[in-house]
Amino acid sequence: MAVVKKRGMQTVEFRNPPVIASWSSTVGIKEAAGPWGQEFDWVMPDYLLGEKTWEQAESKMMQQTVLNALGKQGLIASDAELLLAGDLLNQIISSNFAARELSIPFLGLYGACSTMAQSMLLGSMLIDGDYFKRVVAAAGSHHYSAERQYRVPVEQGVQPALCSQWTASAAGAVVLQDAGDGPRVTSATVGRVIDLNQKDAANMGAAMAPAFVDTLCIHLADMGRSPDDYDLILSGDLGSVGMELAGEMLVKRGWPEVGFVDCGVMLYQGQTDVNAGGSGCGCSAAILCGPLLKRVAAGEYGRVLLISTGALMSPTSSWQGESIPAVAHAVAIEKP
Amino acid sequence: MAVVKKRGMQTVEFRNPPVIASWSSTVGIKEAAGPWGQEFDWVMPDYLLGEKTWEQAESKMMQQTVLNALGKQGLIASDAELLLAGDLLNQIISSNFAARELSIPFLGLYGACSTMAQSMLLGSMLIDGDYFKRVVAAAGSHHYSAERQYRVPVEQGVQPALCSQWTASAAGAVVLQDAGDGPRVTSATVGRVIDLNQKDAANMGAAMAPAFVDTLCIHLADMGRSPDDYDLILSGDLGSVGMELAGEMLVKRGWPEVGFVDCGVMLYQGQTDVNAGGSGCGCSAAILCGPLLKRVAAGEYGRVLLISTGALMSPTSSWQGESIPAVAHAVAIEKP
């Protein structure tokens, strides 16, 4: 086995790039009404899925998304050796309870909306490192459980700020393998926690933009690449406000020409009630496992870079006057 | 590089067992009053550490514990390539904010009281797999922040149940390296989420005992070993109630003679107000990084097995009538 091509402190280039052998996406009715509505595997008929609470529905959504991803290869839960998953709920209960039902050996993650890239990055290292043959990496979020935990119950009808983002009801899961056909994870960058003292919990995009810029610049420097080396760069959930700020920051970092699209802006394009766009672990997970991987597999894109971003505060830290730390992790995905 | 000796589905035996090159433990005054009080590196003078809130103090505790662990080798934060950490707080804010201050590339974990074994297990794979040269794995918990989040503020003076456990104010951090002197992580087992329908949130030991038994039996089967092959088996935070239940379950699984000690029972031995014993991410972390690793390094124990256990519910899941899922992860540590 070749030695890992370590690139700088934070970036790894894989020896045997893990294969994304199958994947699946799930969204709610609102998410399906966006421009990518036809590209998701499962549109949930409602937000409760026969459960009594939003939280239980969220867990069921993640569980089913993992099964759907495995099912595309004719596999069942017991064919997976490891589940790496996380979500937005306190104590990541939707992932924990999904892992209980699936009975796949489980490592829980918390990276807020960066979770999809975090789980893929770790899963890819564990496959490439020869510890497992098949790892499922997953992330999800649910609008109604998240709103009542982080802000106020949706039923209360509070008017959100224009810079706020709409937590997506969505999930995505990828099945990473050491062999098979499909797009491959070729490199990954682990992010640092960045905090420029932004304290407005209604403006996550502003809090996450610096982390996105930091990880993107480190990834490019470590790999000796320019943005042009990617057919597409996707930020995970900066929203329109964060995207604009990130563009300005990239200019200051010497990259005036970086074109990137944002999963949060993409998901609800045309829907004005989401304000600055979508967010939530499920947002970049669903865009990845809906339109994106399909296009990479079809050869439409040769090399893409997904940088999922997460705001790492809690309501408690905000009440205590803390600013909002953020992190972003990157995974480069290439056509087979 | 040799191929990983994969043992069954859940256990990995490392090619180049990562070195625990340095480590550090932190406890509060109450924890220092137990039988191991002299064995911890830093006894916090109070529970606020100059901060305004318990949560901020908890984050400062973790931050300082990581620095203390690195400092034993004359290293500073920027010498570490990756921080893997988690805690009990919603959105793991004590780890997130510690990672912000330390500025070490960061992957957040959630495994409740299993976090120390989880972070070591992942860190060991990432070192052995050649992705990083130096990874810090850490976990911590704080009595006063945990009680008000999970149960009621301590100031309220509610009488706890006799089967309840005392969340430790404690933290531990290990510096895992590809080279150096020190005990080595030789194998690891990733646990499954187990739930035998125990619903009493005051009795975590009963909820976690089955997960401990499951992971221990799988580890032994995968490695082709018996309990006698270990000089010490440590469960992370079953408390006296869970420990007794685990003993009974092991008899039913065909292991009548398994002697093991519990970090939760050890930490406060002789203090009756803790009821069934200690718990919290910091409990097994501090026992590991206090008395245990010292004794392994000194050759007093040749091979030990730490199985940290975590209860994966949240107050919300309990209010919604859910039972308590639990997970346990194992790491085998051997003398240099």
Side-chain angles (χ1 to χ4, degrees):
Chain A
M1 187 187 284
V3 170
V4 164
K5 286 180 214 144
K6 189 70 187 301
R7 304 283 201 160
M9 289 280 280
Q10 295 173 239
T11 304
V12 156
E13 189 176 4
F14 295 109
R15 296 166 278 230
N16 303 302
V19 180
I20 307 172
S22 56
W23 58 89
S24 194
S25 58
T26 300
V27 296
I29 295 164
K30 182 174 177 65
E31 289 71 26
W36 312 97
Q38 302 302 312
E39 311 248 4
F40 303 111
D41 293 318
W42 181 36
V43 178
M44 295 183 286
D46 58 53
Y47 294 98
L48 275 174
L49 299 176
E51 300 294 323
K52 284 186 181 165
T53 70
W54 310 124
E55 290 77 11
Q56 290 165 340
E58 179 175 339
S59 186
K60 197 169 182 179
M61 171 182 70
M62 180 175 288
Q63 187 190 330
Q64 192 57 52
T65 306
V66 169
L67 290 173
N68 290 348
L70 287 163
K72 287 199 185 172
Q73 293 183 75
L75 302 172
I76 59 174
S78 58
D79 293 315
E81 293 183 313
L82 179 68
L83 174 64
L84 294 165
D87 57 82
L88 288 175
L89 295 184
N90 297 343
Q91 290 74 52
I92 60 165
I93 49 170
S94 70
S95 301
N96 295 340
F97 283 85
R100 177 186 73 180
E101 298 304 312
L102 294 164
S103 199
I104 305 172
F106 172 64
L107 296 170
L109 309 177
Y110 187 79
C113 308
S114 73
T115 305
M116 193 66 226
Q118 181 183 355
S119 65
M120 284 182 74
L121 170 165
L122 268 174
S124 298
M125 289 180 185
L126 300 186
I127 292 281
D128 181 59
D130 207 18
Y131 302 105
F132 301 96
K133 303 280 180 209
R134 183 177 292 124
V135 173
V136 181
S141 53
H142 189 294
H143 184 71
Y144 297 94
S145 66
E147 290 305 311
R148 72 176 172 188
Q149 177 187 282
Y150 282 100
R151 285 164 283 262
V152 291
V154 169
E155 297 87 336
Q156 214 167 308
V158 171
Q159 179 78 20
L162 286 174
C163 57
S164 72
Q165 292 171 248
W166 185 281
T167 309
S169 300
V174 297
V175 182
L176 297 162
Q177 293 179 187
D178 65 338
D181 294 324
R184 286 168 181 267
V185 182
T186 51
S187 64
T189 302
V190 181
R192 298 180 292 187
V193 178
I194 307 285
D195 186 336
L196 298 190
N197 203 33
Q198 205 288 96
K199 292 191 175 190
D200 180 0
N203 192 351
M204 294 295 168
M208 295 189 287
F212 165 74
V213 171
D214 189 69
T215 298
L216 173 57
C217 291
I218 286 170
H219 179 84
L220 294 174
D222 285 351
M223 296 299 292
R225 288 181 182 160
S226 89
D228 292 340
D229 291 317
Y230 292 91
D231 296 318
L232 191 68
I233 297 174
L234 273 129
S235 56
D237 317 359
L238 297 179
S240 55
V241 174
M243 205 176 159
E244 192 180 329
L245 290 170
E248 289 175 22
M249 297 176 82
L250 283 167
V251 172
K252 289 186 185 167
R253 297 279 284 258
W255 291 113
E257 302 293 331
V258 180
F260 65 97
V261 294
D262 182 70
C263 297
V265 171
M266 286 172 71
L267 186 62
Y268 299 106
Q269 213 146 33
Q271 298 185 43
T272 52
D273 61 341
V274 301
N275 297 304
S279 68
C281 307
C283 184
S284 65
I287 292 289
L288 172 76
C289 299
L292 186 66
L293 285 175
K294 196 179 295 179
R295 285 170 174 70
V296 177
E300 192 172 326
Y301 298 121
R303 184 193 283 156
V304 300
L305 186 67
L306 172 70
I307 305 186
S308 297
T309 54
L312 300 179
M313 88 302 168
S314 79
T316 303
S317 66
S318 292
W319 293 330
Q320 294 182 357
E322 278 283 6
S323 52
I324 302 173
V327 75
H329 304 297
V331 282
I333 302 168
E334 302 190 28
K335 70 176 178 186
Chain B
M1 187 187 287
V3 169
V4 164
K5 285 179 215 146
K6 189 71 186 298
R7 303 283 201 159
M9 288 280 280
Q10 295 173 238
T11 304
V12 157
E13 190 177 3
F14 294 109
R15 295 167 278 229
N16 303 302
V19 180
I20 307 172
S22 58
W23 58 89
S24 194
S25 58
T26 300
V27 296
I29 295 164
K30 182 174 177 63
E31 290 71 24
W36 311 97
Q38 302 303 312
E39 311 248 5
F40 303 111
D41 293 317
W42 181 37
V43 178
M44 295 182 287
D46 57 54
Y47 294 98
L48 275 175
L49 299 177
E51 301 293 323
K52 284 186 181 165
T53 70
W54 310 124
E55 290 77 10
Q56 289 165 341
E58 179 175 339
S59 185
K60 197 169 181 178
M61 171 183 68
M62 179 175 289
Q63 186 190 329
Q64 192 58 50
T65 306
V66 169
L67 290 173
N68 290 349
L70 287 164
K72 287 199 186 172
Q73 293 183 75
L75 302 172
I76 59 173
S78 57
D79 293 315
E81 293 183 313
L82 179 69
L83 174 64
L84 294 165
D87 57 83
L88 289 174
L89 294 185
N90 297 342
Q91 290 76 52
I92 60 166
I93 49 170
S94 71
S95 301
N96 293 341
F97 284 86
R100 178 186 72 178
E101 298 305 312
L102 294 163
S103 199
I104 305 171
F106 172 64
L107 295 170
L109 309 177
Y110 187 79
C113 309
S114 73
T115 305
M116 193 66 226
Q118 181 183 354
S119 64
M120 284 182 74
L121 169 164
L122 267 175
S124 298
M125 290 182 185
L126 300 187
I127 293 281
D128 181 60
D130 207 18
Y131 302 106
F132 301 95
K133 304 280 180 209
R134 183 177 293 125
V135 173
V136 180
S141 53
H142 189 293
H143 185 71
Y144 298 93
S145 66
E147 290 304 312
R148 72 176 172 187
Q149 177 186 282
Y150 282 100
R151 286 162 284 262
V152 291
V154 169
E155 296 87 336
Q156 213 167 310
V158 170
Q159 178 78 18
L162 287 173
C163 57
S164 72
Q165 292 170 248
W166 184 282
T167 309
S169 299
V174 297
V175 181
L176 297 162
Q177 294 178 186
D178 65 338
D181 293 324
R184 286 168 181 266
V185 183
T186 50
S187 63
T189 301
V190 181
R192 297 181 291 187
V193 178
I194 307 285
D195 186 337
L196 298 189
N197 205 32
Q198 206 287 95
K199 292 191 175 191
D200 180 0
N203 192 349
M204 294 295 168
M208 295 189 288
F212 166 73
V213 171
D214 189 70
T215 298
L216 174 57
C217 290
I218 285 170
H219 179 83
L220 294 174
D222 285 351
M223 296 299 293
R225 289 182 182 160
S226 90
D228 292 339
D229 291 317
Y230 291 91
D231 297 317
L232 191 68
I233 297 174
L234 274 130
S235 57
D237 320 355
L238 297 179
S240 56
V241 175
M243 205 178 159
E244 192 179 330
L245 290 170
E248 289 175 21
M249 297 177 82
L250 282 167
V251 172
K252 290 186 184 166
R253 297 278 285 259
W255 291 113
E257 302 294 332
V258 181
F260 64 97
V261 295
D262 183 71
C263 298
V265 171
M266 286 172 71
L267 186 62
Y268 299 106
Q269 212 145 33
Q271 298 184 44
T272 52
D273 61 341
V274 301
N275 298 303
S279 67
C281 308
C283 184
S284 66
I287 292 288
L288 171 76
C289 299
L292 187 65
L293 284 176
K294 196 178 297 181
R295 286 170 173 70
V296 177
E300 192 171 326
Y301 299 121
R303 184 193 282 157
V304 300
L305 186 67
L306 172 70
I307 305 187
S308 297
T309 54
L312 300 180
M313 88 301 168
S314 79
T316 302
S317 67
S318 292
W319 292 331
Q320 294 182 358
E322 279 282 6
S323 52
I324 302 173
V327 75
H329 303 296
V331 282
I333 302 168
E334 301 190 29
K335 70 175 179 187

